[in-house]
Amino acid sequence: EARLVQALIAEHRPHVLFLDIEMPERSGIGIAETVDDAGPAIVFVTAFSEYATRAFDVKAIDYVLKPFSDERLRDALERAKRRKEGGK
């Protein structure tokens, strides 16, 4: 649920946020639009390839398509880690 996700982001201040495109109440894109630049690194994990361009427009650092391998998820985590360390 979008409201719960937004409340949890504010409360816990995660370093990485994994979002799907289709979510109850609001899309993952809509949630990502509310995250400021100093917020968590955003990684979309979804089965919908057609939203990739829009995801990067809202500053996603990665877009992982389902199904994915452990290695692909590890790459996304490494990219998120580098972003949080300031290494883009």
Side-chain angles (χ1 to χ4, degrees):
E1 296 178 11
R3 288 184 207 138
L4 177 59
V5 170
Q6 290 171 308
L8 290 170
I9 292 168
E11 180 181 348
H12 296 284
R13 302 176 53 169
H15 294 284
V16 181
L17 183 59
F18 291 92
L19 296 172
D20 201 342
I21 293 296
E22 290 189 358
M23 299 174 61
E25 296 179 17
R26 191 169 189 184
S27 73
I29 298 281
I31 291 172
E33 289 173 332
T34 68
V35 175
D36 64 33
D37 290 343
I42 298 170
V43 177
F44 281 92
V45 181
T46 186
F48 301 98
S49 62
E50 62 268 26
Y51 296 99
T53 300
R54 183 72 183 110
F56 288 109
D57 287 345
V58 294
K59 301 186 176 104
I61 60 144
D62 210 337
Y63 197 89
V64 179
L65 288 174
K66 297 176 187 176
F68 55 87
S69 66
D70 291 347
E71 181 178 350
R72 180 65 183 96
L73 185 59
R74 195 171 20 260
D75 289 346
L77 284 169
E78 284 300 316
R79 186 170 286 120
K81 182 179 175 182
R82 284 193 306 272
R83 187 246 189 208
K84 291 311 286 183
E85 292 172 347
K88 308 273 179 195

